[in-house]
Amino acid sequence: MSKIHGMMDIGKRSMMNSQTALQTSGHNIASKNVDGFSRQRVEIQTNVPVGQGKTRYGMGARTAAVTRVNNPFLERQIGNERSLAGFHDGKAEGMGRVEQVYNEQQNKGLNQFMADFFSSVQEMANNPESLATRTQVRESADFLTKDFKRVHSQLRDITRDLDQQIISQLEEVNEMAKEIATLNEKVQQVELSGGHANDERDRRDLLIKQIGDRINIRWAEGKDSTVTITAGNTAVLVAGYDAKRLEASGTPEKGSKGEGNVDIFYLNSERATPVAVTEQVVGGKIGGLLDVRDKVISDLMGDLDKMAYSFAATMNEVHRQGYDAYNRTNLDFFELPTDVKHASANLKVNRGIMDDVGRIATGGQMAAPGDNRVALQMARLQQDKVMGGDSTLDEFYNSIVGKVGIHAKRAETASETQRDIVKQLSNIRESISGVSLDEEATKLIEHQKAFDASARLIRTADEMFDTVLNLKRL
């Protein structure tokens, strides 16, 4: 009789095993399109056999655990490559904006305004007594200074837009850090009770990758199943059940960072003094945005200021030597800024010239109608190597445009290459941890047949019971 009971126990456990396997296959199918999901499988082990003397009887099988198919090393590698891809994506996005500022194929740009100015100066040299040519010089100079301001303003606007993106990205990082801290607690509770926190671990792994997309991090899992995440070198975002914050706020001009642009601060607690960690952020999308803002755009604005200052200073030097229509001399053509920094934003045509074009100096001596020697000298500045003696204004500006094109192309190429690497690794992960609908459909049929066979075993044991019980009646 005890052996018949054992058969019924085997059948019951087998039905439970099949039911668990069916539920797991159903969960796999339903979660196929969930980002970061790892295929789960049922680990079935044989029960401890029993017996009498030399005879031992198997006691069927039991469900040992439901585990996930996952390669931790591959997950970490994907996270690292995604962080690098985020950096290049952020840089490519920022450089795409910068490239439009210098795009003179669709709009009239600084190079054309510069050419128009020198062309008008040459026309004035050909006819120095003409009020019309003098007016044209004044207007073209005014347009040129305004375009210097336009380029400077657009570059500044891009830095402000990048700041807003950085603030938005940090908010997302903070929210994900909170969720990871919550998941740490859930994973620990499940696994301390002997279970496997498959779905919680999948979600936590995904969030770690998504944080890495935005900012460079280091992370490790402790023996208590919780992960610790550090942004940069010292900003501990998640430790156990606690999540800290990263915030961005505008700060004064410092180094290559512009006035009012944001710095990134780490807050260990609500009352703690914020610690600046901007220099530690060198990866993820935020790192790419900072690289464009503090290196590329900062250099471009420096070159623009240098060009504006050198151009205005050289023009003033020549113009001061000449005499205007009123036989006056020693007048600056441009109101020269006191410093090279921000010269492109502050450059203006001399107020006296704006009010009266007769103040434009053309001659080299007093009371010499038709004298155009100074006007010719100003026109020749277009071909002179006024940029530190190394290049002309056109050559210097073209080098700036070329630099922008090179940076943009490199960023785009690096972004595409890195995305391909991430895609390859993701395909490898999919082959290991992904769900195959055909495979799961086959398993459903297999487990259903096993469930039916287990039920048949129980029915057979029940019939055997009836036979034994009816022996007394016979």
Side-chain angles (χ1 to χ4, degrees), residues 58-75:
M59 295 302 293
R62 61 183 176 84
T63 299
V66 178
T67 60
R68 61 177 185 152
V69 181
N70 185 267
N71 184 332
F73 175 78
L74 180 61
E75 297 290 344

Side-chain angles (χ1 to χ4, degrees), residues 347-359:
L347 185 63
K348 297 178 183 177
V349 178
N350 190 299
R351 172 51 58 187
I353 293 176
M354 290 299 294
D355 293 338
D356 183 2
V357 293
R359 298 300 308 276

Side-chain angles (χ1 to χ4, degrees), residues 41-52:
R41 64 184 180 190
V42 180
E43 303 287 349
I44 297 178
Q45 296 179 353
T46 55
N47 272 325
V48 178
V50 297
Q52 298 173 351

